[in-house]
Amino acid sequence: MQHRLRGLACGVMLTLGMTVASAAAASPGYPDKPIRIVVPFPPGGITDQLAREISHSLSKRLHQTVIVDNRPGAGGNIGAAAVARAPGDGYTLLFGTFGTLPVNKSLYEKPGYDPLKDFAPVAGVAYLPNVLLVHPDVPARNVAELIALAKKSPGQLTYGSFGNGSSAHLAGELFAHMAGISITHVPYKGSPASMTDLVGGRLTMMFDSIPTALPIARDGRARALAVTMATRSEQLPNVPTVAETVPGYELTAWFGVAAPASTPKSIVDRLNTEITASMKEPAFREKLTSQGAVPFPQTPAQFSTFINNQYEKWDKVIKKANIRLD
């Protein structure tokens, strides 16, 4: 019996020793080789641009090369799945989005990863509100009048999006659900095509990002009725929120960094510290402002809670609207 107890004690001590040694080795010397941030979308878009700003700042702060690796395809699933399978050593990170972290789990039967289990949330970076635009000929000057118009003609009002399951699509589904109206979704392959049809009068309305919506609204080609964030936007201070008419309504496209789930807490915390500090740099904040985005600093624990809450919210919307992208 004593022999077994001594053996068990030695085993526990050895395990504890290995755990402590592993934790101690997790941060000293890190990073001692280049870090890769996987962007699961093509170069040039807002996701890619923000990731490159973060990589540039991290390179300076960590005194190590930080490269952006674009892995587009399947709504972001290809790149996200690659990071989920990567070693949890802090050298492969995901620049995640509203879609890849919570939403794709509900949209796709087999996305190739589980965003709630396969990642260690590192840091929030930014969120980007949409603007509800209508064609100038639509006889609605505000959200209340738009809802009344939709109720008079169920299913007759159309809204465009830049693809099934996109933030613009889900913005419309949430709006219809919470306002108690029926509107018809028209998906496009990208924002430019849908905006062209809105301006041309072939669509009633659409939800699009502030940088895209601002020039269209300012020159009168469309009318901005509301923004989709909880508070008014600095870029459009005179435009109300949807929530001022439909209490509780909120949708923002957001961005953040995640690592493989097995990444040590010491590395996650180190990355969070440096990313959060990067977001305070004038150049980065200027980049956010130019894109209509808002800084979104969060601790790993806060970001984890946020992602889980977002999943619960959008899973209900997606199931109610019966949206599938398999």
Side-chain angles (χ1 to χ4, degrees), residues 84-204:
R85 294 190 297 265
D89 54 12
Y91 292 99
T92 303
L93 307 174
L94 173 70
F95 199 78
T97 66
F98 166 84
T100 52
L101 288 176
V103 171
N104 284 5
K105 179 178 172 66
S106 302
L107 286 175
Y108 294 86
E109 183 177 354
K110 296 180 179 180
Y113 65 98
D114 186 330
L116 304 183
K117 296 179 180 179
D118 294 343
F119 296 112
V122 173
V125 173
Y127 64 84
L128 184 66
N130 283 348
V131 181
L132 170 55
L133 298 168
V134 297
H135 186 267
D137 291 343
V138 174
R141 310 297 298 187
N142 54 52
V143 173
E145 291 179 1
L146 181 65
I147 292 172
L149 185 65
K151 287 183 175 180
K152 287 181 180 178
S153 306
Q156 296 302 303
L157 273 60
T158 58
Y159 75 99
S161 79
F162 34 90
N164 285 312
S166 64
S167 61
H169 179 193
L170 296 182
E173 292 292 348
L174 183 64
F175 178 61
H177 170 65
M178 295 186 70
I181 58 176
S182 174
I183 52 179
T184 300
H185 174 233
V186 183
Y188 291 79
K189 292 183 178 180
S191 175
S194 56
M195 186 61 77
T196 296
D197 274 5
L198 175 71
V199 171
R202 290 175 287 277
L203 288 173
T204 307

Side-chain angles (χ1 to χ4, degrees), residues 14 30 45 63 78 120 128 152 193 204 213 252 294 304-305 321:
L14 178 61
Y30 173 83
H63 307 288
I78 291 175
L128 184 66
K152 287 181 180 178
T204 307
T252 58
V294 180
S304 178
T305 299

Side-chain angles (χ1 to χ4, degrees), residues 98 102 252 254 305-315:
F98 166 84
T252 58
W254 50 264
T305 299
F306 175 79
I307 291 171
N308 278 275
N309 289 342
Q310 285 279 287
Y311 168 72
E312 291 178 4
K313 173 181 178 176
W314 293 109
D315 184 58

Side-chain angles (χ1 to χ4, degrees), residues 158-314:
T158 58
Y159 75 99
S161 79
F162 34 90
N164 285 312
S166 64
S167 61
H169 179 193
L170 296 182
E173 292 292 348
L174 183 64
F175 178 61
H177 170 65
M178 295 186 70
I181 58 176
S182 174
I183 52 179
T184 300
H185 174 233
V186 183
Y188 291 79
K189 292 183 178 180
S191 175
S194 56
M195 186 61 77
T196 296
D197 274 5
L198 175 71
V199 171
R202 290 175 287 277
L203 288 173
T204 307
M205 58 186 171
M206 69 177 294
F207 296 82
D208 211 333
S209 65
I210 284 182
T212 304
L214 268 178
I216 304 296
R218 283 175 175 165
D219 66 14
R221 286 180 288 165
R223 185 184 306 123
L225 293 191
V227 294
T228 63
M229 58 197 291
T231 58
R232 295 195 181 195
S233 167
E234 292 182 5
Q235 277 89 1
L236 294 166
N238 296 321
V239 176
T241 66
V242 176
E244 290 176 44
T245 303
V246 185
Y249 181 94
E250 182 181 7
L251 178 142
T252 58
W254 50 264
F255 312 87
V257 177
S262 59
T263 306
K265 183 177 183 298
S266 57
I267 290 180
V268 170
D269 289 342
R270 172 78 186 282
L271 288 168
N272 178 271
T273 297
E274 302 300 347
I275 291 170
T276 301
S278 298
M279 293 165 58
K280 297 178 182 178
E281 297 173 357
F284 185 77
R285 296 185 74 87
E286 183 179 345
K287 185 69 175 179
L288 288 184
T289 302
S290 69
Q291 296 287 348
V294 180
F296 182 49
Q298 295 218 312
T299 66
Q302 289 171 335
F303 195 31
S304 178
T305 299
F306 175 79
I307 291 171
N308 278 275
N309 289 342
Q310 285 279 287
Y311 168 72
E312 291 178 4
K313 173 181 178 176
W314 293 109

